[in-house]
Coordinates of all heavy atoms in Angstrom, one line a residue:
E1 N -32.0 6.1 48.6 CA -30.6 5.8 48.9 C -30.5 4.6 49.8 O -29.7 3.7 49.6 CB -30.0 7.1 49.5 CG -28.6 6.9 50.0 CD -28.0 8.2 50.7 OE1 -28.6 9.2 50.5 OE2 -27.0 8.0 51.3
M2 N -31.2 4.6 50.9 CA -31.1 3.5 51.9 C -31.6 2.2 51.3 O -30.9 1.1 51.5 CB -32.1 3.8 53.0 CG -32.2 2.7 54.0 SD -33.4 2.9 55.2 CE -34.9 2.5 54.3
V3 N -32.6 2.2 50.4 CA -33.1 0.9 49.9 C -31.9 0.4 48.9 O -31.8 -0.9 49.0 CB -34.4 1.2 49.1 CG1 -34.8 0.0 48.2 CG2 -35.5 1.5 50.1
Y4 N -31.3 1.2 48.3 CA -30.3 0.7 47.3 C -29.1 0.2 48.1 O -28.4 -0.7 47.7 CB -29.9 1.8 46.3 CG -31.1 2.1 45.3 CD1 -31.7 3.3 45.3 CD2 -31.5 1.1 44.5 CE1 -32.7 3.6 44.5 CE2 -32.6 1.4 43.6 CZ -33.2 2.6 43.6 OH -34.3 2.9 42.8
A5 N -28.7 0.8 49.2 CA -27.7 0.4 50.1 C -28.0 -1.0 50.6 O -27.2 -1.9 50.8 CB -27.5 1.4 51.2
M6 N -29.3 -1.2 51.0 CA -29.8 -2.5 51.5 C -29.7 -3.5 50.5 O -29.4 -4.7 50.8 CB -31.2 -2.3 52.1 CG -31.4 -1.6 53.4 SD -33.0 -1.5 53.9 CE -32.9 -0.9 55.6
E7 N -30.0 -3.2 49.3 CA -29.9 -4.1 48.1 C -28.5 -4.5 48.0 O -28.1 -5.7 47.7 CB -30.4 -3.5 46.9 CG -30.4 -4.5 45.7 CD -31.1 -4.0 44.4 OE1 -30.8 -2.8 44.1 OE2 -31.9 -4.7 43.8
K8 N -27.5 -3.6 48.0 CA -26.1 -3.9 47.9 C -25.6 -4.8 49.0 O -24.7 -5.7 48.7 CB -25.3 -2.5 47.9 CG -23.8 -2.7 47.6 CD -23.1 -1.3 47.6 CE -21.6 -1.5 47.4 NZ -20.9 -0.3 47.5
D9 N -26.2 -4.7 50.2 CA -25.9 -5.5 51.2 C -26.6 -6.9 51.3 O -26.6 -7.6 52.2 CB -26.1 -4.8 52.6 CG -25.1 -3.7 52.9 OD1 -24.0 -3.7 52.3 OD2 -25.4 -2.9 53.9
D10 N -27.3 -7.1 50.1 CA -28.1 -8.4 49.9 C -29.2 -8.5 51.0 O -29.5 -9.7 51.4 CB -27.2 -9.6 49.9 CG -26.2 -9.6 48.7 OD1 -26.8 -9.2 47.6 OD2 -25.2 -10.1 48.8
L11 N -29.8 -7.4 51.4 CA -30.9 -7.5 52.4 C -32.2 -7.5 51.8 O -33.2 -8.0 52.3 CB -30.8 -6.3 53.4 CG -29.5 -6.3 54.2 CD1 -29.5 -4.9 55.0 CD2 -29.4 -7.4 55.2
L12 N -32.3 -7.0 50.5 CA -33.6 -7.0 49.7 C -33.3 -6.8 48.3 O -32.2 -6.6 47.9 CB -34.5 -5.9 50.2 CG -34.1 -4.5 50.2 CD1 -34.2 -3.9 48.8 CD2 -34.9 -3.6 51.2
D13 N -34.3 -7.0 47.5 CA -34.2 -6.9 46.0 C -35.2 -5.9 45.5 O -36.4 -6.1 45.7 CB -34.5 -8.3 45.4 CG -34.4 -8.3 43.8 OD1 -34.2 -7.2 43.2 OD2 -34.5 -9.4 43.2
T14 N -34.7 -4.8 45.1 CA -35.6 -3.6 44.6 C -36.5 -3.9 43.4 O -37.4 -3.3 43.2 CB -34.8 -2.3 44.3 OG1 -33.8 -2.7 43.2 CG2 -34.0 -1.9 45.5
D15 N -36.2 -5.0 42.7 CA -37.1 -5.4 41.7 C -38.3 -6.3 42.2 O -39.2 -6.5 41.5 CB -36.4 -6.4 40.7 CG -35.3 -5.6 39.9 OD1 -35.5 -4.4 39.7 OD2 -34.2 -6.2 39.5
E16 N -38.3 -6.6 43.4 CA -39.3 -7.3 44.1 C -40.1 -6.5 45.1 O -39.6 -5.5 45.5 CB -38.8 -8.6 44.9 CG -38.0 -9.5 43.9 CD -38.7 -10.3 42.9 OE1 -39.9 -10.6 43.2 OE2 -38.3 -10.6 41.8
D17 N -41.2 -7.0 45.6 CA -42.0 -6.3 46.7 C -41.2 -6.4 48.0 O -40.5 -7.5 48.1 CB -43.3 -6.9 46.9 CG -44.3 -6.7 45.7 OD1 -44.0 -5.8 44.9 OD2 -45.3 -7.3 45.6
Y18 N -41.2 -5.5 48.8 CA -40.5 -5.6 50.2 C -41.3 -4.8 51.1 O -42.0 -3.8 50.9 CB -39.1 -5.2 50.0 CG -38.8 -3.8 49.5 CD1 -39.0 -2.7 50.2 CD2 -38.4 -3.6 48.1 CE1 -38.7 -1.4 49.8 CE2 -38.3 -2.4 47.7 CZ -38.4 -1.3 48.5 OH -38.2 0.0 48.0
T19 N -40.9 -5.1 52.4 CA -41.5 -4.3 53.6 C -40.2 -4.1 54.5 O -39.5 -5.1 54.9 CB -42.5 -5.1 54.3 OG1 -43.6 -5.4 53.4 CG2 -43.0 -4.3 55.6
I20 N -40.0 -2.8 54.9 CA -38.9 -2.4 55.8 C -39.7 -1.8 57.0 O -40.5 -0.9 56.8 CB -38.0 -1.5 55.3 CG1 -37.4 -2.0 53.9 CG2 -36.9 -1.1 56.2 CD1 -36.6 -1.0 53.1
E21 N -39.5 -2.3 58.2 CA -40.1 -1.8 59.4 C -39.1 -1.3 60.3 O -38.1 -2.0 60.6 CB -41.1 -2.8 60.0 CG -42.2 -3.2 59.1 CD -43.0 -4.2 59.7 OE1 -42.5 -5.3 60.0 OE2 -44.2 -3.9 59.9
Y22 N -39.3 -0.2 61.0 CA -38.4 0.4 62.1 C -39.2 0.6 63.3 O -40.2 1.4 63.3 CB -37.7 1.7 61.6 CG -36.8 2.3 62.7 CD1 -35.6 1.8 62.9 CD2 -37.3 3.4 63.3 CE1 -34.8 2.3 63.8 CE2 -36.5 4.0 64.3 CZ -35.2 3.4 64.6 OH -34.4 4.0 65.5
R23 N -38.8 -0.1 64.3 CA -39.6 0.1 65.6 C -38.6 -0.1 66.8 O -37.9 -1.1 66.8 CB -40.6 -1.0 65.8 CG -41.8 -0.8 64.8 CD -43.1 -1.5 65.1 NE -44.2 -1.4 64.2 CZ -44.3 -0.9 63.0 NH1 -43.3 -0.4 62.4 NH2 -45.4 -0.9 62.3
S24 N -38.6 0.9 67.6 CA -37.8 0.8 68.9 C -36.3 0.6 68.6 O -35.7 -0.3 69.2 CB -38.4 -0.2 69.8 OG -39.7 0.0 70.2
G25 N -35.9 1.1 67.6 CA -34.4 1.0 67.2 C -34.1 -0.2 66.5 O -32.9 -0.6 66.3
E26 N -35.0 -1.1 66.1 CA -34.8 -2.3 65.4 C -35.4 -2.3 64.0 O -36.5 -1.7 63.9 CB -35.4 -3.5 66.2 CG -34.7 -3.7 67.6 CD -35.3 -4.8 68.3 OE1 -36.4 -5.4 68.0 OE2 -34.6 -5.3 69.3
I27 N -34.7 -2.9 63.1 CA -35.2 -2.9 61.7 C -35.5 -4.4 61.3 O -34.8 -5.3 61.6 CB -34.1 -2.4 60.8 CG1 -34.0 -0.9 61.0 CG2 -34.5 -2.6 59.3 CD1 -32.8 -0.3 60.2
S28 N -36.7 -4.5 60.7 CA -37.1 -5.9 60.1 C -37.3 -5.7 58.6 O -37.8 -4.6 58.2 CB -38.4 -6.3 60.6 OG -38.3 -6.6 62.1
I29 N -36.8 -6.6 57.8 CA -36.9 -6.5 56.4 C -37.6 -7.8 56.0 O -37.2 -8.9 56.2 CB -35.5 -6.5 55.7 CG1 -34.8 -5.1 56.1 CG2 -35.8 -6.4 54.1 CD1 -33.4 -5.0 55.6
N30 N -38.8 -7.6 55.3 CA -39.6 -8.7 54.9 C -40.0 -9.7 56.0 O -40.0 -10.9 55.9 CB -39.0 -9.5 53.7 CG -38.9 -8.5 52.5 OD1 -39.8 -7.7 52.2 ND2 -37.9 -8.8 51.6
G31 N -40.2 -9.1 57.1 CA -40.7 -9.8 58.4 C -39.5 -10.5 59.2 O -39.7 -11.1 60.1
K32 N -38.3 -10.3 58.7 CA -37.1 -10.9 59.3 C -36.3 -9.8 60.1 O -35.9 -8.8 59.5 CB -36.2 -11.5 58.3 CG -35.0 -12.2 58.9 CD -34.0 -12.8 57.9 CE -32.8 -13.3 58.6 NZ -31.8 -13.8 57.5
K33 N -36.3 -10.0 61.5 CA -35.6 -9.0 62.3 C -34.1 -9.1 62.0 O -33.5 -10.1 61.8 CB -35.8 -9.3 63.8 CG -35.2 -8.4 64.7 CD -35.4 -8.8 66.1 CE -34.5 -8.0 67.1 NZ -34.6 -8.5 68.5
Q34 N -33.6 -7.9 61.8 CA -32.1 -7.8 61.4 C -31.3 -7.6 62.6 O -31.8 -7.2 63.7 CB -31.9 -6.5 60.5 CG -32.7 -6.6 59.2 CD -32.3 -7.7 58.4 OE1 -31.2 -8.0 58.0 NE2 -33.4 -8.5 58.1
N35 N -30.1 -8.0 62.6 CA -29.2 -8.0 63.7 C -28.9 -6.6 64.2 O -29.1 -5.6 63.4 CB -27.9 -8.8 63.5 CG -27.1 -8.3 62.3 OD1 -27.0 -7.1 62.2 ND2 -26.4 -9.2 61.6
E36 N -28.2 -6.4 65.2 CA -27.9 -5.1 65.8 C -27.0 -4.3 64.8 O -27.2 -3.0 64.6 CB -27.2 -5.2 67.2 CG -27.0 -3.9 67.9 CD -26.4 -4.1 69.3 OE1 -26.3 -5.2 69.7 OE2 -26.1 -3.1 69.8
E37 N -26.1 -4.9 64.2 CA -25.2 -4.2 63.2 C -25.9 -3.6 62.1 O -25.7 -2.4 61.8 CB -24.1 -5.2 62.7 CG -23.1 -4.6 61.7 CD -22.1 -5.7 61.2 OE1 -22.1 -6.7 61.7 OE2 -21.4 -5.3 60.2
V38 N -26.9 -4.3 61.5 CA -27.7 -3.8 60.4 C -28.6 -2.7 60.9 O -28.7 -1.6 60.3 CB -28.5 -5.0 59.7 CG1 -29.5 -4.4 58.8 CG2 -27.6 -6.0 59.1
S39 N -29.2 -2.9 62.0 CA -30.2 -1.9 62.6 C -29.4 -0.6 62.9 O -29.9 0.5 62.5 CB -30.8 -2.4 63.8 OG -31.7 -3.5 63.6
N40 N -28.2 -0.7 63.5 CA -27.4 0.4 63.8 C -26.9 1.2 62.5 O -26.9 2.4 62.5 CB -26.3 0.1 64.6 CG -26.6 -0.2 66.1 OD1 -27.7 0.2 66.5 ND2 -25.7 -1.0 66.7
K41 N -26.7 0.4 61.4 CA -26.2 1.1 60.2 C -27.3 1.9 59.5 O -27.0 2.9 58.9 CB -25.7 -0.1 59.3 CG -25.3 0.4 57.9 CD -24.7 -0.7 57.0 CE -24.2 -0.2 55.7 NZ -23.6 -1.2 54.9
Y42 N -28.5 1.3 59.6 CA -29.6 2.0 58.8 C -30.6 2.9 59.6 O -31.4 3.6 59.1 CB -30.3 0.9 58.0 CG -29.5 0.3 56.9 CD1 -29.0 -1.0 57.1 CD2 -29.4 1.1 55.8 CE1 -28.3 -1.5 56.0 CE2 -28.6 0.5 54.8 CZ -28.0 -0.7 54.8 OH -27.3 -1.3 53.9
K43 N -30.5 2.8 60.9 CA -31.4 3.6 61.7 C -31.3 5.1 61.5 O -32.3 5.9 61.7 CB -31.5 3.2 63.2 CG -30.2 3.6 63.9 CD -30.2 3.2 65.3 CE -29.0 3.4 66.1 NZ -29.1 3.0 67.5
K44 N -30.3 5.6 61.0 CA -30.1 7.0 60.8 C -31.1 7.5 59.7 O -31.3 8.7 59.7 CB -28.6 7.3 60.4 CG -28.2 6.8 59.0 CD -26.8 7.0 58.6 CE -26.4 6.3 57.4 NZ -25.0 6.4 57.1
Y45 N -31.5 6.6 58.8 CA -32.5 7.0 57.8 C -33.9 7.2 58.3 O -34.7 7.8 57.6 CB -32.5 6.0 56.7 CG -31.2 5.8 56.0 CD1 -30.3 4.9 56.2 CD2 -30.9 6.8 55.0 CE1 -29.1 4.8 55.5 CE2 -29.8 6.7 54.3 CZ -28.8 5.7 54.6 OH -27.7 5.6 53.8
F46 N -34.2 6.7 59.5 CA -35.6 6.9 60.1 C -35.6 8.0 61.0 O -35.0 8.0 62.1 CB -35.9 5.6 60.8 CG -36.0 4.4 59.8 CD1 -34.9 3.7 59.5 CD2 -37.2 4.1 59.1 CE1 -35.0 2.5 58.6 CE2 -37.3 3.1 58.2 CZ -36.2 2.3 58.0
K47 N -36.4 9.0 60.8 CA -36.6 10.1 61.6 C -37.7 9.8 62.8 O -37.6 10.5 63.7 CB -37.2 11.3 60.8 CG -36.3 11.7 59.6 CD -35.0 12.2 60.1 CE -34.2 12.7 58.8 NZ -32.7 12.4 59.0
R48 N -38.5 8.9 62.5 CA -39.6 8.6 63.6 C -39.6 7.1 63.8 O -39.4 6.3 62.9 CB -40.9 9.1 63.1 CG -41.1 10.5 63.0 CD -42.6 10.8 62.8 NE -42.7 11.4 61.6 CZ -43.9 11.7 61.0 NH1 -45.0 11.3 61.5 NH2 -44.0 12.3 59.8
D49 N -40.0 6.8 65.0 CA -40.2 5.3 65.4 C -41.5 4.9 64.7 O -42.3 5.7 64.3 CB -40.3 5.2 66.9 CG -40.2 3.8 67.4 OD1 -39.5 2.9 66.7 OD2 -40.7 3.5 68.4
K50 N -41.7 3.6 64.6 CA -42.9 3.0 64.1 C -43.2 3.5 62.6 O -44.2 3.9 62.3 CB -44.2 3.3 64.9 CG -44.0 2.8 66.3 CD -45.3 3.1 67.1 CE -45.1 2.7 68.6 NZ -46.1 3.1 69.4
T51 N -42.0 3.3 61.9 CA -42.1 3.6 60.4 C -42.0 2.3 59.5 O -41.3 1.4 59.8 CB -40.9 4.5 60.1 OG1 -40.9 5.7 60.8 CG2 -40.9 4.9 58.6
S52 N -42.8 2.3 58.6 CA -42.9 1.1 57.6 C -42.8 1.7 56.2 O -43.4 2.7 55.8 CB -44.1 0.3 57.7 OG -44.3 -0.2 59.0
I53 N -42.0 1.0 55.4 CA -41.8 1.3 53.9 C -42.2 0.0 53.3 O -41.5 -1.0 53.5 CB -40.4 1.7 53.6 CG1 -39.9 2.9 54.5 CG2 -40.2 2.0 52.1 CD1 -38.5 3.2 54.3
I54 N -43.2 0.1 52.5 CA -43.8 -1.0 51.8 C -43.8 -0.8 50.3 O -44.4 0.1 49.8 CB -45.2 -1.4 52.3 CG1 -45.2 -1.6 53.9 CG2 -45.8 -2.6 51.6 CD1 -46.5 -1.4 54.5
K55 N -43.1 -1.7 49.6 CA -43.2 -1.6 48.1 C -44.1 -2.8 47.7 O -43.7 -4.0 48.0 CB -41.9 -1.7 47.5 CG -41.9 -1.7 45.9 CD -40.6 -1.9 45.2 CE -40.9 -1.9 43.8 NZ -39.8 -2.8 43.2
E56 N -45.1 -2.5 47.0 CA -46.1 -3.5 46.5 C -46.6 -3.2 45.2 O -47.1 -2.1 45.0 CB -47.2 -3.8 47.5 CG -48.1 -5.0 47.3 CD -49.1 -5.2 48.4 OE1 -49.7 -4.2 48.8 OE2 -49.2 -6.3 48.9
D57 N -46.4 -4.1 44.2 CA -46.9 -3.9 42.8 C -46.4 -2.6 42.2 O -47.1 -1.8 41.5 CB -48.4 -3.9 42.8 CG -49.1 -5.2 43.2 OD1 -48.4 -6.2 42.9 OD2 -50.1 -5.2 43.8
G58 N -45.1 -2.3 42.5 CA -44.4 -1.1 42.0 C -44.7 0.2 42.6 O -44.3 1.2 42.3
E59 N -45.5 0.2 43.7 CA -45.9 1.4 44.5 C -45.2 1.3 45.8 O -45.2 0.2 46.4 CB -47.4 1.6 44.6 CG -48.1 1.7 43.2 CD -49.6 1.9 43.3 OE1 -50.1 1.8 44.5 OE2 -50.3 2.1 42.4
I60 N -44.8 2.4 46.3 CA -44.2 2.5 47.7 C -45.1 3.3 48.5 O -45.5 4.4 48.2 CB -42.8 3.2 47.6 CG1 -41.9 2.3 46.7 CG2 -42.3 3.3 48.9 CD1 -40.5 3.0 46.4
N61 N -45.3 2.8 49.8 CA -46.1 3.4 50.8 C -45.2 3.6 52.0 O -44.5 2.6 52.4 CB -47.4 2.7 51.2 CG -48.4 2.8 50.0 OD1 -49.0 3.8 49.9 ND2 -48.7 1.7 49.4
I62 N -45.2 4.8 52.6 CA -44.5 5.0 53.8 C -45.5 5.3 55.0 O -46.2 6.3 54.8 CB -43.5 6.2 53.6 CG1 -42.5 5.8 52.5 CG2 -42.7 6.4 55.0 CD1 -41.6 7.0 52.1
K63 N -45.4 4.6 56.0 CA -46.3 4.7 57.1 C -45.5 5.2 58.4 O -44.6 4.6 58.7 CB -47.1 3.4 57.4 CG -48.0 3.0 56.3 CD -48.7 1.7 56.6 CE -49.5 1.2 55.4 NZ -50.2 0.0 55.8
H64 N -46.0 6.2 59.0 CA -45.5 6.7 60.2 C -46.6 6.5 61.3 O -47.6 7.3 61.3 CB -45.1 8.1 60.2 CG -44.0 8.4 59.1 ND1 -42.7 8.0 59.3 CD2 -44.1 9.0 57.9 CE1 -42.1 8.5 58.2 NE2 -42.9 9.0 57.4
G65 N -46.5 5.5 62.2 CA -47.6 5.4 63.2 C -48.8 5.1 62.4 O -49.0 4.1 61.8
S66 N -49.7 6.0 62.5 CA -51.1 5.9 61.9 C -51.2 6.6 60.6 O -52.2 6.5 59.9 CB -52.2 6.3 62.9 OG -52.0 7.6 63.2
S67 N -50.2 7.4 60.2 CA -50.4 8.2 58.9 C -49.8 7.4 57.8 O -49.1 6.4 58.0 CB -49.6 9.5 59.0 OG -48.2 9.3 59.2
N68 N -50.0 7.7 56.6 CA -49.7 7.0 55.4 C -49.3 8.0 54.3 O -50.1 8.8 54.0 CB -50.9 6.1 55.0 CG -50.5 5.1 53.9 OD1 -49.4 5.0 53.6 ND2 -51.5 4.5 53.4
T69 N -48.2 7.7 53.6 CA -47.8 8.6 52.5 C -47.6 7.6 51.3 O -47.0 6.5 51.5 CB -46.4 9.2 52.7 OG1 -46.6 10.1 53.9 CG2 -46.0 10.1 51.6
H70 N -48.1 8.0 50.2 CA -48.1 7.1 49.0 C -47.2 7.8 47.9 O -47.4 8.9 47.7 CB -49.6 7.0 48.4 CG -49.6 6.2 47.1 ND1 -49.6 4.8 47.1 CD2 -49.6 6.6 45.8 CE1 -49.7 4.4 45.9 NE2 -49.6 5.5 45.1
I71 N -46.2 6.9 47.4 CA -45.4 7.3 46.3 C -45.4 6.4 45.2 O -45.4 5.2 45.3 CB -43.9 7.4 46.8 CG1 -43.8 8.3 48.0 CG2 -42.9 7.9 45.8 CD1 -42.5 8.1 48.7
D72 N -45.7 7.0 43.9 CA -45.7 6.2 42.7 C -44.3 6.2 42.1 O -43.6 7.0 42.1 CB -46.7 6.8 41.7 CG -48.1 6.4 42.1 OD1 -48.3 5.4 42.6 OD2 -49.0 7.2 41.7

């Protein structure tokens, strides 16, 4: 849901690889720190700090701190 909303807001393209990082209340998409408005809009989707969502070669990995979850 969040990723498709970000695509609708022209923040990323779900057909391409992407990285979304959430740290200390701030969101970065593909290495670009997002403004406060974007961070505030999407931070509700993150249950924990230091979370990364990485889509690479059609696979999605979600990292929480030092743990890692893989989704095909």
Side-chain angles (χ1 to χ4, degrees):
E1 178 183 343
M2 176 191 73
V3 172
Y4 295 113
M6 288 179 167
E7 182 174 47
K8 186 177 176 185
D9 287 344
D10 292 325
L11 298 171
L12 58 80
D13 182 349
T14 58
D15 292 330
E16 304 290 329
D17 292 345
Y18 57 80
T19 301
I20 303 165
E21 297 178 300
Y22 177 74
R23 294 200 180 10
S24 303
E26 296 180 343
I27 294 175
S28 295
I29 301 172
N30 296 328
K32 182 180 177 188
K33 181 179 168 187
Q34 300 301 303
N35 63 36
E36 186 176 353
E37 181 182 350
V38 171
S39 292
N40 287 338
K41 180 176 181 177
Y42 290 104
K43 68 182 179 182
K44 67 183 178 188
Y45 293 100
F46 295 92
K47 303 293 184 214
R48 290 191 247 173
D49 195 27
K50 298 180 183 171
T51 299
S52 298
I53 302 169
I54 303 162
K55 179 185 176 210
E56 188 172 47
D57 298 326
E59 297 181 355
I60 297 173
N61 286 289
I62 301 171
K63 298 179 183 179
H64 300 286
S66 60
S67 67
N68 188 10
T69 303
H70 177 82
I71 302 171
D72 283 328

